[in-house]
Amino acid sequence: MSTRPAPRPVRTPGLSAKEEIMARLRAALDVPRRDAVTEADDVPRDYQRADDRQEVSTDPAKVRDVLAQRIADYRATVHRTTPSQLPAAIAEALDGAGSVIVPPGVPEGWTAQVAATVQVDDGTPGPRELDVIDAVLTGCHTAIAVTGTLVLRSDDLSGRRALTLVPDRHVVVVQADQVVLGVPKGIERMGEDPASPWTLISGPSATSDIELERVEGVHGPRQLHVVLVDPEPEPEPEPGSAAPDGAAPSAPTSQETSR
């Protein structure tokens, strides 16, 4: 390797733009490195990791609260519920929809109280057929609290990607054990199936025009509803009995947050 870089090329008569770019690249690559990173093992590993203390020790209830707030910040609607109240919360999120499509792995109990016509996707509806369906109901694989991101895997629970891009309303069910704090933990969970197609969603589809006016529904659903399933509250102590040490007061079983 040369210890002295070549002079920066300048355009001369007869030198094409491509030749000039390639010459500049060769000159840049000839500059000695100012760091000692030459092998993969030399790369610093002091970045945030999935096993960081913050990730593994933060109260899961606080992590779910962060997720709910981030999703609301994106102008999506969050429905807080419990496993026993999940069908009612899903019916509330789908209120007003006349037709709903679901991936084949969605449990039948999820749609037990849905008034709309429910169609199980068999992979045949194309964009035109999906466009006339009011809403789609799916599960998810992972939810990242800090970024408010929902991670969908192309499986029987989250469905193929077209399902979550074409209908105007997307309702996603997020279980408590699917919520992680940061991106490294989310990437670690996605590493369980690295070859699978993944879809990452942070709020409803939105963009801005040249005057920075927000426009929703350009690249996907205009409405995003997230049904966040919290654990069932602890049972109320019987009259005259003392509450267990550290027990928190029971929370309402259903709560809606929107922004």
Side-chain angles (χ1 to χ4, degrees):
M1 180 181 290
S2 173
T3 58
R4 185 173 183 180
R8 179 176 179 179
V10 296
R11 177 163 299 190
T12 58
L15 184 69
S16 68
K18 177 181 178 180
E19 292 171 333
E20 179 186 0
I21 293 171
M22 296 304 297
R24 291 190 179 190
L25 288 173
R26 284 191 291 268
L29 292 172
D30 198 37
V31 177
R33 298 181 65 94
R34 292 180 292 179
D35 54 66
V37 177
T38 57
E39 303 293 340
D41 292 340
D42 298 327
V43 177
R45 305 293 179 181
D46 55 352
Y47 46 77
Q48 183 179 347
R49 301 177 65 89
D51 57 356
D52 280 356
R53 180 179 179 182
Q54 184 182 26
E55 181 70 63
V56 299
S57 64
T58 305
D59 181 3
K62 292 182 179 179
V63 176
R64 293 193 299 273
D65 289 342
V66 171
L67 174 67
Q69 183 59 55
R70 291 292 186 274
I71 293 173
D73 287 344
Y74 289 138
R75 301 186 185 182
T77 302
V78 180
H79 305 261
R80 302 289 293 267
T81 189
T82 60
S84 62
Q85 299 297 318
L86 178 56
I90 291 175
E92 181 182 8
L94 290 170
D95 184 41
S99 56
V100 179
I101 190 167
V102 300
V106 166
E108 292 184 5
W110 284 12
T111 57
Q113 300 185 31
V114 173
T117 301
V118 179
Q119 173 184 345
V120 178
D121 179 46
D122 60 3
T124 59
R128 292 183 182 276
E129 292 79 14
L130 293 173
D131 190 44
V132 299
I133 297 176
D134 296 327
V136 55
L137 168 66
T138 73
C140 81
H141 179 272
T142 299
I144 303 173
V146 170
T147 60
T149 302
L150 306 177
V151 182
L152 309 184
R153 179 168 59 181
S154 183
D155 56 15
D156 286 346
L157 185 61
S158 297
R160 54 194 175 104
R161 183 169 294 176
L163 287 184
T164 59
L165 291 179
V166 182
D168 198 48
R169 188 189 314 185
H170 185 189
V171 178
V172 186
V173 176
V174 179
Q175 304 289 348
D177 60 358
Q178 296 172 330
V179 183
V180 299
L181 180 62
V183 173
K185 191 67 174 179
I187 297 297
E188 180 183 72
R189 286 173 56 88
M190 294 168 66
E192 300 169 2
D193 187 8
S196 178
W198 296 94
T199 301
L200 279 68
I201 300 173
S202 297
S205 170
T207 188
S208 296
D209 62 16
I210 195 171
E211 296 181 351
L212 300 183
E213 292 290 336
R214 181 182 172 95
V215 180
E216 297 181 348
V218 177
H219 309 294
R222 289 185 304 151
Q223 304 175 43
L224 177 65
H225 291 251
V226 178
V227 181
L228 181 54
V229 184
D230 293 304
E232 294 286 354
E234 294 293 332
E236 292 285 347
E238 296 183 2
S241 62
D245 293 339
S250 60
T253 57
S254 180
Q255 174 184 346
E256 179 177 325
T257 304
S258 61
R259 184 172 179 179

